[in-house]
Amino acid sequence: MSVPPSAKLRLESAALISNWRALNDLSGDACAGAAVKADAYGLGARSVVEKLLQAGCREFYVANWREASELEDLISGAAQLSVLNGVRESDMPFALQSLAKPVLNSLEQVHRWAGTGRPCDIMINSGMNRLGVNPGDLSGQDLTQLDVDICMSHLACADEDVVQNPDQLAAFIVASDMVTAKRKSLANSAAIALGSAYHFDCTRPGLSLYGGIPRPELNDIIVQVATPQVEILQVRSLKAGDRVGYNAQYIADRDHDIAILAMGYADGYLRSFSGKGIFSVQDISLPVLGRVSMDLIAIDVTGAPQLREGDWVDCAYDLPEASKISGLSQYELITGLGQRFAREWY
Ligand SMILES: *Cc1c(COP(=O)(O)O)cnc(C)c1O
């Protein structure tokens, strides 16, 4: 018997597809793929892959082989799946029979994969100093044993206007000419907005597919995909002076009603929303009062006196706005939404 959820994530298919199309258009001659690591930033990778395949997306990126193993059957033949964190020795048994390909991140991984006869991608370190082969280490390497599909790099600051962007671009252009690859790729969501010099053959948006806006150029083309919705467990009446929640961080300044919601920081709605977050019903704003608890939140329902136990309210979760309010990054806000939300696609 299934138990009805008390919190849901409302997910808009049309918004996801519209965001991918917008990023694909903005990528010019390049094709937009999709970063679906971390369960498609928490929204559910299998559903996201199915929908984006239908929209025409042909390149998907996960972080590791466990994630790849959960998506391979959807991808088979229809598209490509790349594993960004590379291939460890312990990944080899799985990787050698997988439909996914590793993104080789070091000379060790290059040697590990050489001679397998299987395709791969390669990551160049153009200045972020996270994963990737240093350009200086490429010269003198015999890469002819590799069947390289995408030669890629990753920008550290694409959401800012800093000289590191053109510097990394220049380093990538030089280094990628030393690798025989079918295609080149540099841009994440933010870098797509940096212009055609950054697009190469394929782009790799993640955040903006899911409603994140890392640069103002994307303001008018990216729309919200995910909205948390939560049930009211109890409505109560406060007298002026009554205290609410842990450490009494809200004290009623007048007599009014509040509602207690079935959601909390264990669901990824962190305490940085305490006294700041907003819920709503029919465009009526219902502010969070006091501390966010692990499983519960108190909201002011003065504006919506009709609300009762069992009614549902929406959480304001426009990512740029919620980021401003909470001080959390848009990435943290979307990937942090927990497993207690029933994910429902519309
Ligand atoms: C996560 C990731 C992306 C997607 O980045 P967004 O900023 O979410 O668009 C692209 N490329 C690499 C290598 C990544 O790790």
Side-chain angles (χ1 to χ4, degrees), residues 154-328:
H154 192 50
L155 297 180
C157 320
D159 57 343
E160 299 177 275
D161 291 309
V162 291
V163 71
Q164 189 168 336
N165 293 327
D167 283 355
Q168 284 197 252
L169 173 62
F172 177 61
I173 289 171
V174 171
S176 62
D177 276 345
M178 299 165 68
V179 179
T180 306
K182 296 190 182 75
R183 299 176 291 169
K184 297 184 188 187
S185 173
L186 181 61
N188 65 348
S189 301
I192 292 173
L194 291 179
S196 57
Y198 290 81
H199 294 160
F200 296 93
D201 301 303
C202 29
T203 58
R204 309 186 306 270
L207 181 71
S208 293
L209 295 172
Y210 313 117
I213 304 185
R215 291 188 63 94
E217 296 89 336
L218 300 174
N219 274 343
D220 296 332
I221 68 167
I222 297 300
V223 291
Q224 185 174 346
V225 176
T227 306
Q229 300 181 309
V230 56
E231 191 170 342
I232 294 174
L233 297 177
Q234 195 171 121
V235 174
R236 60 192 317 123
S237 299
L238 300 183
K239 294 279 176 229
D242 282 351
R243 298 168 161 86
V244 175
Y246 282 120
N247 307 103
Q249 292 296 293
Y250 175 74
I251 302 175
D253 53 359
R254 65 205 142 87
D255 296 359
H256 72 96
D257 288 355
I258 64 171
I260 308 301
L261 307 178
M263 173 175 153
Y265 60 76
D267 301 293
Y269 194 75
L270 301 188
R271 298 206 318 177
S272 39
F273 284 106
S274 297
K276 293 181 183 168
I278 302 286
F279 286 75
S280 71
V281 68
Q282 288 148 13
D283 290 332
I284 302 163
S285 175
L286 311 168
V288 170
L289 300 177
R291 284 265 157 90
V292 172
S293 299
M294 185 185 296
D295 316 304
L296 298 167
I297 297 167
I299 57 169
D300 185 353
V301 294
T302 305
Q306 76 280 10
L307 286 175
R308 294 286 173 271
E309 178 179 324
D311 289 340
W312 287 70
V313 296
D314 289 345
C315 177
Y317 219 69
D318 168 70
L319 291 174
E321 187 61 29
S323 171
K324 248 179 254 155
I325 289 176
S326 65
L328 300 168

Side-chain angles (χ1 to χ4, degrees), residues 35 37 41 61 84 123 130 152-154 187-190 204-208 214 331:
K37 59 198 184 187
Y41 292 42
Y61 301 89
L84 291 166
M123 174 71 77
R130 207 172 57 169
M152 70 178 80
S153 190
H154 192 50
N188 65 348
S189 301
R204 309 186 306 270
L207 181 71
S208 293
Y331 295 87

Side-chain angles (χ1 to χ4, degrees), residues 119-160:
C120 61
D121 300 330
I122 191 164
M123 174 71 77
I124 307 280
N125 172 28
S126 60
M128 186 177 189
N129 288 304
R130 207 172 57 169
L131 296 177
V133 181
N134 287 336
D137 290 343
L138 284 171
S139 52
Q141 283 296 321
D142 179 14
L143 300 178
T144 56
Q145 293 292 302
L146 293 178
D147 173 11
V148 182
D149 182 4
I150 303 174
C151 177
M152 70 178 80
S153 190
H154 192 50
L155 297 180
C157 320
D159 57 343
E160 299 177 275

